[in-house]
């Protein structure tokens, strides 16, 4: 058994002791091993490592230490600091990633631009507009970035086909006081950055038109509005609820080519 | 009674006595003890005793470079260590005297 092996074995058996105490005991043993003649049989001179460690404990009055505090004190302070720092950084990174993954600052800004001839429902909790083939169609909402960071607005993405053909348009950011008037001038939509506090309008403009593949039933609800946006590496769709529900209804007897009214 | 068992009881006193002769380090203490006849005491017991005496404030230590190998830990006796040695030697003398008188009878 080499002095290094002996030292390592004794060190292993003192693993529960506070780090600096263990270091001092092993340093003294190291110094002692270095004093012994090179050909010394360590086991016969010092006893087996486990016996050495046991005798050392007995003579020094060092009980075996257990528990969390002993475990922590047995670690080298530098390693302990490193471990805590690593865990802290990892926790922060996870926290930031989770936060980014859930960051959604877009909200309804309070104004909608409803299609012409929109009527309130008898119950008063929703609005509806009757489909009229070929007539002009216009529907817009205002959205606001209520967060503290800029997001990029990528468009409106209704999951189903609606009975109109419309282009998505956008307005330049407007102050809240101007929201009651229909915004203008409008430009063809292109992805844009919506800065904190800014309000922008998204307008669908076109004509009522039927498409094959429209869903079953005779009513299409436009609320909530699914707005696609991106923030850093993440792209998501958020559903922006309006203050009241808005639906396009089909009059009795309306025939949609290829559809299922 | 085994010599080792008997020696253990007076090891603390013996270690203090060796260090009281002048500042010294572990290996030298062991050699001195062996020459004085304390050859049944394990090296680990001596180092453990040194640790305990130092913790109790009877010894103080300093690290000093050695010519061959790592730094040596040099021990010296504190004033409380000196008192401990004196009290222990007195007690030991009384016990020894009593034992001798018993054996002579």
């Amino acid at each position: 058994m080499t002095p290094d092996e002996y030292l390592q074995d004794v060190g292993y058996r003192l693993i529960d002791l506070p780090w600096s105490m263990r270091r001092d005991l092993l340093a003294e043993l190291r110094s002692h091993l270095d004093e012994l003649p090179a050909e010394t049989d360590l086991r016969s001179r010092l006893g087996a490592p486990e016996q050495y460690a046991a005798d050392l404990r007995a003579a020094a009055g060092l009980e075996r230490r257990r528990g969390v505090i002993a475990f922590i004190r047995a670690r080298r302070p530098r390693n302990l600091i490193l471990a805590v720092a690593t865990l802290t950084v990892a926790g922060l990174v996870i926290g930031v990633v989770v936060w980014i993954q859930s960051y959604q600052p877009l909200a309804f800004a309070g104004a909608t631009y409803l299609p012409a001839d929109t009527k309130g429902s008898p119950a008063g909790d929703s609005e509806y507009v009757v489909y009229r083939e070929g007539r002009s169609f216009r529907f817009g909402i205002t959205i606001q970035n209520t967060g503290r960071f800029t997001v990029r607005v990528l468009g409106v993405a209704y999951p189903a086909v609606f009975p109109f053909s419309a282009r998505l348009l956008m307005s330049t950011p407007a102050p809240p006081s101007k929201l009651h008037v229909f915004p203008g001038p409008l430009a063809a939509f292109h992805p844009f950055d919506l800065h904190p506090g800014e309000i922008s309008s998204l307008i669908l403009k076109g004509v009522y038109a039927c498409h094959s593949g429209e869903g079953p039933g005779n009513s299409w609800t436009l609320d909530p509005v699914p707005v696609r946006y991106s923030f850093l590496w993440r792209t998501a769709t958020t559903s922006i609820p309006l203050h009241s529900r808005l639906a396009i209804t089909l009059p009795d007897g309306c025939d949609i080519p290829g559809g299922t009214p | 009674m085994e010599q080792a068992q008997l020696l253990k009881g007076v090891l603390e006193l013996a270690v203090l006595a060796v260090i009281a002769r002048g500042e010294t380090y572990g290996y030298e203490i062991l050699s001195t003890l062996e020459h004085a006849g304390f050859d049944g005491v394990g090296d680990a017991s001596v180092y453990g005793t040194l640790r305990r005496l130092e913790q109790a404030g009877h010894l103080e230590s300093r690290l000093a470079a050695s010519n061959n190998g790592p730094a040596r830990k040099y021990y010296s006796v504190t004033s409380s260590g000196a008192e401990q040695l004196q009290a222990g030697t007195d007690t030991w003398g009384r016990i020894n005297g009593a034992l001798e008188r018993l054996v002579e009878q």
Side-chain angles (χ1 to χ4, degrees):
Chain A
M1 192 173 225
T2 66
D4 282 344
E5 287 167 347
Y6 194 89
L7 196 70
Q8 196 176 4
D9 202 333
V10 172
Y12 171 72
R13 288 160 208 286
L14 301 175
I15 202 83
D16 57 297
L17 297 180
W19 182 79
S20 59
M21 186 193 290
R22 179 168 171 268
R23 179 196 57 186
D24 291 350
L25 290 171
L26 292 178
E28 203 163 29
L29 174 57
R30 155 63 69 195
S31 156
H32 183 69
L33 294 176
D34 278 18
E35 303 273 3
L36 296 173
E39 67 277 8
T40 306
D41 177 2
L42 295 178
R43 276 182 172 273
S44 60
R45 161 80 205 223
L46 301 170
E50 56 265 39
Q51 190 58 49
Y52 185 94
D55 288 350
L56 191 65
R57 278 179 190 277
L62 299 172
E63 298 289 320
R64 179 163 287 280
R65 298 174 188 225
R66 297 174 203 281
V68 177
I69 292 173
F71 178 84
I72 290 171
R73 290 188 66 196
R75 306 300 115 187
R76 187 176 186 173
R78 192 189 69 183
N79 295 348
L80 213 55
I81 289 167
L82 269 177
V84 169
T86 307
L87 284 175
T88 306
V89 169
L92 282 174
V93 168
I94 290 170
V96 166
V97 168
V98 166
W99 178 79
I100 288 171
Q101 288 297 107
S102 62
Y103 186 63
Q104 198 301 90
L106 295 179
F108 180 46
T112 46
Y113 307 109
L114 299 175
D117 301 325
T118 299
K119 296 178 177 63
S121 69
D125 58 348
S126 64
E127 289 166 315
Y128 70 95
V129 62
V130 177
Y131 172 86
R132 287 183 184 170
E133 177 75 30
R135 294 282 288 273
S136 71
F137 170 82
R138 188 194 80 183
F139 169 61
I141 63 157
T142 47
I143 55 169
Q144 181 171 21
N145 183 345
T146 58
R148 295 172 63 187
F149 299 95
T150 298
V151 292
R152 193 161 182 80
V153 179
L154 302 176
V156 172
Y158 280 112
V161 179
F162 281 78
F164 50 74
S165 293
R167 286 205 305 152
L168 184 61
L169 306 173
M170 59 189 279
S171 75
T172 49
S177 61
K178 298 277 187 190
L179 291 182
H180 63 284
V181 253
F182 188 76
L186 297 177
F189 179 86
H190 56 81
F192 64 96
D193 287 339
L194 192 63
H195 301 287
E198 271 185 357
I199 294 174
S200 198
S201 305
L202 300 175
I203 316 280
L204 284 161
K205 197 170 183 193
V207 294
Y208 289 100
C210 294
H211 307 281
S212 61
E214 283 156 349
N218 61 354
S219 177
W220 285 263
T221 305
L222 289 163
D223 162 88
V225 181
V227 174
R228 282 184 69 69
Y229 71 100
S230 66
F231 178 60
L232 299 178
W233 62 80
R234 170 174 168 264
T235 297
T237 300
T238 181
S239 291
I240 299 195
L242 308 179
H243 285 164
S244 64
R245 297 182 69 80
L246 174 68
I248 301 173
T249 62
L250 293 176
D252 290 342
C254 175
D255 182 30
I256 295 178
T260 49
Chain B
M1 195 184 286
E2 292 255 344
Q3 188 192 3
Q5 283 294 100
L6 202 60
L7 289 183
K8 236 168 208 176
V10 291
L11 185 58
E12 181 180 312
L13 216 49
V15 166
L16 273 174
V18 171
I19 301 170
R21 289 155 54 166
E23 191 185 53
T24 178
Y25 59 97
Y27 187 78
E28 206 171 61
I29 296 168
L30 269 157
S31 304
T32 310
L33 287 172
E34 277 174 24
H35 277 113
F38 285 82
D39 51 359
V41 179
D43 298 13
S45 298
V46 172
Y47 283 108
T49 303
L50 285 169
R51 169 90 204 170
R52 188 159 44 79
L53 288 171
E54 189 180 16
Q55 288 296 104
H58 299 323
L59 295 179
E60 57 191 5
S61 68
R62 64 179 182 92
L63 283 176
S66 85
N67 298 333
N68 48 345
R72 283 175 184 154
K73 192 174 180 183
Y74 279 87
Y75 293 92
S76 51
V77 172
T78 63
S79 55
S80 94
E83 286 169 20
Q84 182 79 1
L85 176 60
Q86 187 57 53
T89 317
D90 290 350
T91 308
W92 181 252
R94 282 200 301 278
I95 292 171
N96 202 28
L99 191 64
E100 274 176 4
R101 282 193 295 279
L102 272 178
V103 172
E104 281 166 9
Q105 283 170 6

